[in-house]
Amino acid sequence: MDIPFQIVPKLPARNLEETRIYFETQLEFSTQSRYPDYLIMKKGLSELHFFSFRDLDPLTSYAQVYIRLQSGIEDLYADYLKRGVAIHPNGALENKPWGTKEFALLDPNHTLLTFGQLS
């Protein structure tokens, strides 16, 4: 049976307000919903959900999200650099051997966000 669906990650956040501000000001997501212990951010067709996890140790978090772009990865990367968004030290835009062009950054919770586009 072929039923269309969308996958929406639910990610831990130590501080939902800090997370909201980062995603709005740095990555230009918009806030869709804000509850005391839950946050929904959206950009284009993509959504990220965050749940409050005050005891999260960001330095031991292994949370990761791959964000696939259909086009425009060079423009997005240049825009982030121009606006001072911190790119992961090992995450500069580059062509990968598996046929994608990617870059990566860490959000305030140390979730690795990898942006990729088929080459």
Side-chain angles (χ1 to χ4, degrees):
M1 181 169 24
D2 188 19
I3 299 173
F5 61 91
Q6 179 183 13
I7 296 171
V8 177
K10 293 171 67 173
L11 303 167
R14 285 182 310 155
N15 182 312
L16 290 176
E17 188 62 12
E18 177 186 42
T19 300
R20 182 193 65 77
I21 291 168
Y22 175 81
F23 275 86
E24 281 186 354
T25 62
Q26 297 292 298
L27 306 185
E28 298 183 316
F29 276 66
S30 62
T31 300
Q32 294 300 294
S33 298
R34 175 71 165 90
Y35 303 96
D37 291 322
Y38 205 78
L39 171 66
I40 300 172
M41 304 297 297
K42 187 170 183 175
K43 184 170 184 168
L45 298 175
S46 295
E47 279 185 24
L48 296 175
H49 292 207
F50 298 91
F51 61 93
S52 181
F53 186 12
R54 290 174 188 87
D55 294 332
L56 174 70
D57 178 358
L59 298 181
T60 62
S61 176
Y62 292 100
Q64 301 179 34
V65 176
Y66 192 93
I67 301 170
R68 170 80 42 93
L69 286 80
Q70 297 302 311
S71 63
I73 195 163
E74 294 92 353
D75 294 336
L76 181 64
Y77 183 72
D79 180 59
Y80 283 177
L81 288 177
K82 178 179 158 189
R83 293 188 304 102
V85 174
I87 303 300
H88 189 283
N90 299 319
L93 183 65
E94 65 180 2
N95 289 311
K96 299 294 187 179
W98 44 88
T100 60
K101 187 176 281 191
E102 298 177 359
F103 71 92
L105 50 90
L106 293 171
D107 79 359
N109 306 293
H110 275 231
T111 297
L112 180 68
L113 303 173
T114 303
F115 295 81
Q117 176 183 314
L118 293 174
S119 298

